[in-house]
Each structure stands twice: as C-alpha cells, then as structure tokens.
C-alpha cells in the first residue's frame, strides 16, 4: 500500500470513528428504526395499496429522509470540527496533501452511510419477510406459492441509495470547501438537494424550449446538478412483475452515473480547498 492510500485510510478511519461516537448519529439511527418498525402499526392509513408495498414505501422513505440528513449534517460537522479545533492545521502540517485530507473525510462519512444503510435495510427486510410470511399463511392463494417481495432487489436498491447519499456527501464537501460556517454549508447543501430532486422538471421542459440560448442554459444547468429521480426505482426492484420493467443493466448504469458525480464533486472540492486559508 502506498503512502497516499495509507494516509487517506487513516483519516477516513478516524473520521468514521468520530462520527459513530456522535450523539447525532445515534439519535438518527434510533429514530429511523422506530419509524421503520412503526410502519406495521400505521397500515390502517393506507389508501388502497398493498400492505407490503405500504411497509416498503414507509421504510424506504424513512431511510432516505434520515440518510439525507445524516449525509449533509455529518459531512459539514466533521469537516468544520477539524477547522475550528485547528486539528486540520496539525494534520496538514505533516506530509499530508489537502486532497488526501478531503478524500479521507469523504471516505469516513461514506463508510458511516454504508453502516446506516445496511442497518436500516436489514431491519426493513426483516419486517417485510416476517409480515409476508404471515400473509402467505393466511392468503396463500393470492401469492401463488411464491413471495411478492424481491429481497435481492431490496439489496440492490439499498446499494443505489448508498451511492445517491454519497453524491450528496460529495456536494456538501464541495460547499464546505469554500464556505465559512457550518450552518451555511448545511443550508446550501439541502437547497442543492431539492434542486437535484426537481432536476427532472428542467429536463422535461428542455424539449419544448424554442430559444436555442435558453435551451443551452437549461441543458448546462441540468448537467451541473445530478438527477436524483433516476435513483427512485424501488417499486420496480422490490415488486417486479408489474407493467413497468427494469433491464438488468439499468441499476449498473445508475450506479455509474452516481459515481461520476461523486468523482466530479470531490475534484471540485480539491480545487476549491487547495488555496483556502485555515
């Protein structure tokens, strides 16, 4: 292992351990578990969809909501704690490049998000499997001897959400690389996240724009912000067999799309952070 990889892994491991010790992470985990488990008791508010789909939607919604909060807040908090405590100055005074420092920070939060996704998806999978087994015993004829939920699809969808949260983490790292306060980074990152969620609207309107200048501006802006709607393929992956289908290569294409944006935003962070005074 060369020196750069060793230094990045060391910074990433310390960042991960700092994040796990924080009360904020533990509170989000407890809230997420409580929300996923409680989905079983909220099913009477279902508006006609199947119970398993309701539990899946409720659980995935909780994972994405708290995962997004964790990605933004943990990245900004862990970055600024190094700046405010002057530990970043101590680290960078050693033979550690600034890009290694940023890569280590990203790696630590990315691992934290992996632990969060694995834990929450595992609990959701247990909930779905337990409830589906009960329903199969009571309404066996509706299941035709096979399960409705694709648990391999659930694992694949969780991996895509991990990459999506990684993109959000890289965006927050980029904003933090030039902003002066933790609060500014958090607010701007959440604002960018909303733009990414609604980016598909600009894409849809792009075809109907006649002015070539405006059309070019909209096209450029749509490239700057990743389209988070591409990652919303949970229904197709968890409940295959409906009218909507997904090719085998599509999840890989979505994962590659997210990884490209992670690399781009980390590269922008390195460029922005290289001349910043600490």
């Amino acid at each position: 292992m060369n020196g750069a990889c060793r230094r990045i892994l060391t910074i990433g491991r310390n960042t991960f351990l700092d994040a796990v010790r924080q009360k904020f992470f533990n509170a989000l985990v407890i809230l997420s578990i409580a929300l996923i488990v409680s989905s079983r008791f909220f099913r009477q508010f279902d508006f006609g969809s199947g119970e398993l789909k309701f539990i899946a939607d409720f659980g995935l919604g909780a994972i994405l909501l708290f995962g997004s909060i964790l990605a933004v807040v943990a990245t900004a908090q862990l970055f600024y704690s190094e700046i405010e405590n002057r530990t970043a100055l101590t680290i960078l005074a050693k033979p550690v490049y600034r890009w290694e420092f940023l890569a280590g920070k990203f790696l630590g939060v990315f691992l934290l998000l992996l632990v969060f996704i694995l834990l929450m998806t595992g609990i959701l999978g247990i909930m779905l499997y337990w409830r589906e087994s009960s329903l199969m015993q009571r309404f066996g004829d509706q299941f035709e001897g096979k399960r409705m939920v694709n648990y391999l699809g659930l694992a694949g969808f969780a991996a895509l959400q991990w990459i999506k949260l990684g993109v959000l983490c890289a965006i927050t790292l980029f904003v933090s690389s030039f902003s002066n306060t933790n609060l500014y980074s958090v607010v701007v990152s959440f604002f960018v996240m909303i733009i990414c969620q609604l980016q598909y609207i600009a894409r849809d309107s792009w075809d109907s724009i006649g002015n070539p200048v405006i059309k070019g501006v909209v096209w450029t802006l749509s490239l700057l912000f990743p389209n988070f709607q591409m990652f919303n393929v949970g229904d197709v992956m968890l409940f295959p067999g409906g009218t909507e289908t997904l090719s085998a290569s599509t999840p890989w294409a979505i994962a590659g799309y997210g990884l490209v944006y992670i690399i781009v935003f980390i590269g922008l962070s390195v460029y922005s952070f290289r001349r910043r005074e600490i």
Side-chain angles (χ1 to χ4, degrees), residues 30-73:
I30 294 171
L31 276 174
S32 303
I33 293 174
L35 218 63
I36 293 171
V37 173
S38 67
S39 63
R40 174 70 182 85
F41 305 101
F42 282 113
R43 68 186 178 89
Q44 60 265 35
F45 297 109
D46 183 13
F47 295 96
S49 58
E51 181 180 340
L52 293 174
K53 188 175 183 308
F54 177 80
I55 294 174
D57 289 345
F58 199 86
L60 293 176
I63 293 171
L64 291 180
L65 172 64
F66 291 110
S68 299
I69 294 173
L70 181 65
V72 171
V73 177

Side-chain angles (χ1 to χ4, degrees), residues 18 38 68-69 87 120 165 169 176 204 212 218:
D18 285 344
S38 67
S68 299
I69 294 173
T87 49
M120 296 304 121
L165 294 179
C169 171
S176 301
D204 291 343
V218 173

Side-chain angles (χ1 to χ4, degrees), residues 79 92 96-102 173-174 176-178 266-278:
F79 180 84
L92 294 174
V96 175
Y97 293 103
R98 292 197 174 200
W99 72 268
E100 295 172 348
F101 174 76
L102 290 177
L173 195 63
F174 169 59
S176 301
S177 67
F178 60 81
I266 290 179
L268 291 173
S269 305
V270 172
Y271 180 78
S272 171
F273 189 62
R274 64 191 179 116
R275 292 186 178 177
R276 174 173 174 162
E277 292 186 4
I278 301 175

Side-chain angles (χ1 to χ4, degrees), residues 70-114:
L70 181 65
V72 171
V73 177
T75 304
Q77 200 171 44
L78 291 168
F79 180 84
Y80 278 99
S81 65
E82 299 278 16
I83 302 293
E84 292 170 356
N85 297 331
R86 313 297 291 175
T87 49
L89 196 61
T90 306
I91 295 172
L92 294 174
K94 299 176 182 178
V96 175
Y97 293 103
R98 292 197 174 200
W99 72 268
E100 295 172 348
F101 174 76
L102 290 177
K105 283 290 164 192
F106 174 81
L107 178 64
V109 180
F110 203 40
L111 289 175
L112 180 77
L113 294 171
L114 175 63

